[in-house]
Amino acid sequence: MNAYDSFNDVPLHPALLKALVKQKYLVPTPIQRKAIPSLLEGKDLIGIAQTGTGKTAAFTLPILSKMTETHPRTIQTLVLAPTRELAAQIGESFAKYGEFRGYKHTVVFGGVSQTKQVQALQKGVDILIATPGRLLDLYQQRFISLQNVQFFVLDEADRMLDMGFLNDIKRIISKLPKKRQSLFFSATMSPEINNLANTLLSNPVRVEVAPQGATVTKVKQHVFFINQKEKEKLLLELLDQEQVTSVLIFTRTKHRANRVATFLNKNNVAADAIHGNKSQTARTTAIKDFKSKRVKVLVATDIAARGIDIDNISHVINFELPNEPENYVHRIGRTARAGNEGTAFSFCAAEERNYLRSIEKLIKQRIHVMDHKYHSEAAKNAVGDAAKPPPRERFVPRPKGRSSTPQRFSREQRKQSFRS
Ligand code: AMP
């Protein structure tokens, strides 16, 4: 797959490049850079991205580029959106980017009279943007034919499911030609959404971009520079604070996730770990217990945490910083949801210093440094090789038989001793 730094390098139809010049869009956004090449190659796609990332152009541009004149003024592209506002916005994007391309589009949604929508459909359109209920209504009245659909987009799938559109969507999919290119976008992933994606897509390319701005700025972020060996002690002290009620802890590896959960249990903190080596049942139980607050702490790897959707997490603790900076944004986005306050604590040992530098570069802000009793100036100032994990940590599994019994600490030992 290619990646493009400028729209000039993207093999889009000239009419679209012209529209981009008119819009003064010079540089593709990350989701556009990642999605457009595969879409131009005709691949199915699953995109994890929120509004504001440029996702509409990420699908509108390649579709408009690939559309052909085979069946003029019959629906060749169908886009489903959960709300009339989003449907209207997508319609505007098709108008904007497709200005010089010559295809016709219309938008249909419920809650208004269908007369004008039917008139538009009867004149013939190449692109239809619709909410599911109204689309089915009009289909049943035979105002719509879906037999020539070649490009199908399901936008904001998570919201569609929240709004109870699952059955409508399934019915619509059953009416589409089997041979088509399908695109699926969702801001979040859950097992239910994954299932829907699997029924819709064939061998899809997966593209994920971090939510920009809003999530990151809503979360209070602090970093603790610390020696690797002291992290467990610091963790216990943080968990002892009254306001720390429901905590998602992240590690880079499954092994470390288990180790942290075991350590916490030994120190009388109810904790569970979820990661790829656990069965689906074990994961579901762990998440249920965490949601119901029976378990205060859930320790997770990045991949295991992707599908989980939990509100009311008071704190995210990065016991280990992620090696992919985008994962930091995903991780801290787990707190401060639905208007709640949220705090993210990150532990940074010397060997993670460069990870922190990449994160601060991505989020374009410096994370507040906590003053605490384990503070390590060496970690804070680490550069060069000292700022990277040793190669053995990345490539060689820990030898079997090496003791990994977690330490126990008394309550006195975990006296709170940090100031913000
Ligand atoms: P969306 O995430 O699709 O809702 O897009 C967010 C906003 O970014 C919209 O106002 C777009 O017009 C704008 N936009 C999309 N792509 C680009 C780009 N490559 N350069 C500048 N602005 C863009």
Side-chain angles (χ1 to χ4, degrees), residues 130-192:
T131 54
R134 179 55 61 96
L135 175 77
L136 280 173
D137 266 1
L138 295 170
Y139 181 87
Q140 269 144 13
Q141 298 170 64
R142 298 179 185 275
F143 291 121
I144 287 173
S145 157
L146 298 175
Q147 65 187 13
N148 291 322
V149 171
Q150 291 181 42
F151 304 97
F152 174 61
V153 182
L154 188 66
D155 201 8
E156 301 210 348
D158 44 358
R159 263 172 98 189
M160 296 260 201
L161 296 199
D162 286 347
M163 292 169 74
F165 283 138
L166 182 61
N167 284 335
D168 283 354
I169 292 167
K170 285 186 173 161
R171 279 176 64 202
I172 295 166
I173 294 172
S174 72
K175 300 182 191 317
L176 298 176
K178 293 272 169 296
K179 194 171 167 306
R180 56 165 202 263
Q181 188 176 0
S182 301
L183 287 65
F184 183 100
F185 290 89
S186 183
T188 55
M189 281 308 278
S190 67
E192 208 185 3

Side-chain angles (χ1 to χ4, degrees), residues 20-256:
L20 287 169
V21 170
K22 185 168 171 189
Q23 296 299 326
K24 302 198 170 63
Y25 292 176
L26 304 173
V27 183
T29 66
I31 186 144
Q32 292 162 4
R33 232 183 351 256
K34 291 178 187 173
I36 293 176
S38 303
L39 291 175
L40 287 173
E41 283 171 22
K43 296 203 174 113
D44 280 5
L45 179 119
I46 176 161
I48 322 285
Q50 293 183 340
T51 298
T53 52
K55 74 176 157 77
T56 318
F59 66 79
T60 312
L61 292 169
I63 289 177
L64 278 167
S65 194
K66 285 181 66 100
M67 283 176 67
T68 55
E69 307 284 345
T70 344
H71 301 285
R73 303 295 181 248
T74 64
I75 298 165
Q76 206 180 130
T77 296
L78 174 66
V79 182
L80 285 187
T83 62
R84 70 167 92 173
E85 292 76 18
L86 184 63
Q89 258 177 51
I90 297 169
E92 282 162 25
S93 293
F94 273 102
K96 204 160 69 173
Y97 306 126
E99 184 182 350
F100 307 108
R101 191 72 176 97
Y103 290 115
K104 283 189 106 173
H105 77 273
T106 198
V107 183
V108 302
F109 44 75
V112 294
S113 151
Q114 68 171 43
T115 316
K116 283 193 180 152
Q117 298 176 358
V118 170
Q119 282 166 1
L121 288 165
Q122 282 172 335
K123 283 189 201 153
V125 294
D126 306 284
I127 300 154
L128 178 65
I129 302 115
T131 54
R134 179 55 61 96
L135 175 77
L136 280 173
D137 266 1
L138 295 170
Y139 181 87
Q140 269 144 13
Q141 298 170 64
R142 298 179 185 275
F143 291 121
I144 287 173
S145 157
L146 298 175
Q147 65 187 13
N148 291 322
V149 171
Q150 291 181 42
F151 304 97
F152 174 61
V153 182
L154 188 66
D155 201 8
E156 301 210 348
D158 44 358
R159 263 172 98 189
M160 296 260 201
L161 296 199
D162 286 347
M163 292 169 74
F165 283 138
L166 182 61
N167 284 335
D168 283 354
I169 292 167
K170 285 186 173 161
R171 279 176 64 202
I172 295 166
I173 294 172
S174 72
K175 300 182 191 317
L176 298 176
K178 293 272 169 296
K179 194 171 167 306
R180 56 165 202 263
Q181 188 176 0
S182 301
L183 287 65
F184 183 100
F185 290 89
S186 183
T188 55
M189 281 308 278
S190 67
E192 208 185 3
I193 292 172
N194 229 348
N195 281 346
L196 179 62
N198 287 339
T199 59
L200 175 65
L201 305 171
S202 134
N203 205 9
V205 172
R206 186 184 164 106
V207 167
E208 189 162 352
V209 293
Q212 301 296 316
T215 321
V216 179
T217 50
K218 256 173 33 196
V219 180
K220 291 189 219 106
Q221 301 168 64
H222 308 279
V223 61
F224 295 74
F225 289 108
I226 188 164
N227 285 329
Q228 201 64 263
K229 286 198 301 254
E230 320 258 47
K231 284 185 175 180
E232 290 182 339
K233 281 187 270 181
L234 173 62
L235 180 62
L236 274 188
E237 293 183 11
L238 290 173
L239 294 177
D240 253 4
Q241 295 180 99
E242 204 180 308
Q243 67 275 27
V244 180
T245 52
S246 189
V247 188
L248 186 57
I249 297 180
F250 282 97
T251 61
R252 280 197 298 275
T253 63
K254 301 170 204 170
H255 172 79
R256 177 69 72 175

